[in-house]
């Protein structure tokens, strides 16, 4: 069974600090997607990583896919209150067309 | 493009009552998903449609939940009778035809259901 574990579950930091959250699995994924979900809204896709070792940047957000395609990280530089939300990773199942979801990291950035 | 539309935004019902949620996906999106998200957790897939056919409903509690997408466009999800543990946000998402789980999902803002 493919699982995605996200850590930490919860993170609260001050504005301007840097942070990294993780999405780990013992299984290989062909790709991983990162979503951000703000309170009262649905998840919104931030990025898809496909190639092992790939690094993608989205302004102050840096996403990395592990060389073995079993894990991914999201690093935020100089966090801002607008970065507050639930960060979810998801990857396609090997056996069907479903997306497997992590439980998310709830991030709060305090002004 | 217009996003995924869902209604209602909020619903409060008593246990054993019935409730229905409506979703209109992005135009041209063949695949439609209903997810259940309990507070602080990731989404759990309830049912996936490809056009008007069911692709996966393995996690749908079929004794109380039903869903349809009769014309391959909009969809309804019904719960009858509701239980306390059904309190959650019900998210609808759509995507282009799903081949291998690659296309990104576009989510609506969800319906927050509270069962008392």
């Amino acid at each position: 069974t493919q699982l995605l574990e996200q850590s930490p579950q919860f993170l609260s930091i001050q504005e301007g600090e840097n942070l990294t959250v993780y999405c780990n699995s013992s299984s290989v994924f062909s790709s991983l997607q990162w979503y951000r979900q703000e309170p009262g809204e649905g998840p919104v896709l931030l990025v898809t990583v496909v190639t092992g070792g790939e690094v993608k940047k989205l302004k102050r957000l840096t996403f990395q896919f592990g060389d073995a395609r079993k894990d991914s990280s999201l690093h935020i530089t100089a966090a801002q209150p607008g970065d507050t939300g639930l960060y979810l990773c998801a990857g396609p199942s090997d056996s069907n067309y479903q997306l497997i979801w992590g439980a998310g990291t709830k991030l709060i950035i305090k002004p | 493009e217009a996003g995924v539309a869902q209604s209602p935004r909020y619903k409060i019902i008593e246990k054993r009552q019935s409730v229905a949620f409506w979703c209109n996906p992005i135009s041209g999106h063949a695949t439609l998903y209903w997810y259940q998200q309990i507070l602080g957790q990731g989404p759990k897939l309830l049912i996936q449609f490809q056009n008007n056919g069911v692709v996966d409903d393995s996690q749908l509690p079929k004794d109380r939940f039903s869903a349809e997408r009769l014309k391959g466009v909009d969809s309804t999800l019904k719960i009858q009778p509701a239980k306390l543990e059904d309190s959650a946000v019900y998210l609808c998402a759509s995507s282009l035809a799903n081949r291998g789980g690659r296309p990104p999902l576009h989510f609506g803002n969800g319906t927050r259901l509270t069962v008392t």
Side-chain angles (χ1 to χ4, degrees):
Chain A
T1 303
Q2 290 173 287
L3 295 173
L4 286 169
E5 295 184 359
Q6 291 191 246
S7 60
Q9 285 184 301
F10 179 78
L11 184 59
S12 178
I13 63 171
Q14 292 293 137
E15 180 177 4
E17 295 183 4
N18 302 332
L19 66 106
T20 303
V21 299
Y22 301 92
C23 173
N24 295 317
S25 178
S26 58
S27 306
V28 175
F29 281 85
S30 58
S31 64
L32 283 177
Q33 300 172 359
W34 283 92
Y35 291 78
R36 178 170 66 211
Q37 184 177 21
E38 298 185 22
E41 299 183 7
V44 175
L45 180 69
L46 297 174
V47 77
T48 301
V49 286
V50 179
T51 306
E54 181 178 9
V55 176
K56 282 191 173 178
K57 291 195 173 185
L58 189 65
K59 298 183 181 178
R60 294 175 293 97
L61 279 61
T62 301
F63 302 85
Q64 184 161 9
F65 201 12
D67 290 342
R69 291 184 288 129
K70 292 183 177 182
D71 54 81
S72 182
S73 63
L74 159 58
H75 181 79
I76 301 179
T77 304
Q80 297 179 1
D83 296 326
T84 292
L86 180 67
Y87 287 80
L88 295 158
C89 66
S93 167
D94 279 343
S95 57
N96 56 43
Y97 291 153
Q98 282 191 36
L99 269 181
I100 295 167
W101 292 83
T105 292
K106 184 172 184 180
L107 177 63
I108 295 177
I109 309 299
K110 295 176 284 188
Chain B
E1 64 182 5
V4 176
Q6 287 190 249
S7 67
R9 286 281 279 149
Y10 305 94
K11 191 73 178 179
I12 301 174
I13 62 172
E14 295 181 351
K15 59 184 179 184
R16 292 188 289 272
Q17 287 187 324
S18 62
V19 64
F21 313 126
W22 175 83
C23 172
N24 193 23
I26 292 173
S27 177
H29 279 193
T31 309
L32 184 147
Y33 314 76
W34 282 102
Y35 282 90
Q36 180 192 59
Q37 186 177 28
I38 293 173
L39 188 63
Q41 297 183 16
K44 171 189 167 185
L45 180 69
L46 293 175
I47 189 167
Q48 177 180 334
F49 292 95
Q50 183 84 1
N51 297 308
N52 61 350
V54 175
V55 173
D56 189 334
D57 63 357
S58 57
Q59 298 191 87
L60 187 73
K62 298 180 186 62
D63 57 334
R64 298 184 302 106
F65 286 64
S66 64
E68 59 184 14
R69 193 185 185 199
L70 292 176
K71 297 182 180 179
V73 180
D74 57 348
S75 175
T76 56
L77 175 69
K78 296 179 182 177
I79 307 175
Q80 181 178 9
K83 292 186 175 181
L84 295 176
E85 58 261 36
D86 298 332
S87 295
V89 175
Y90 290 84
L91 293 164
C92 178
S94 69
S95 71
L96 295 170
N98 189 340
R99 297 186 183 89
R102 289 290 184 92
L105 272 59
H106 299 260
F107 284 87
N109 285 335
T111 296
R112 180 176 295 279
L113 173 67
T114 302
V115 182
T116 62

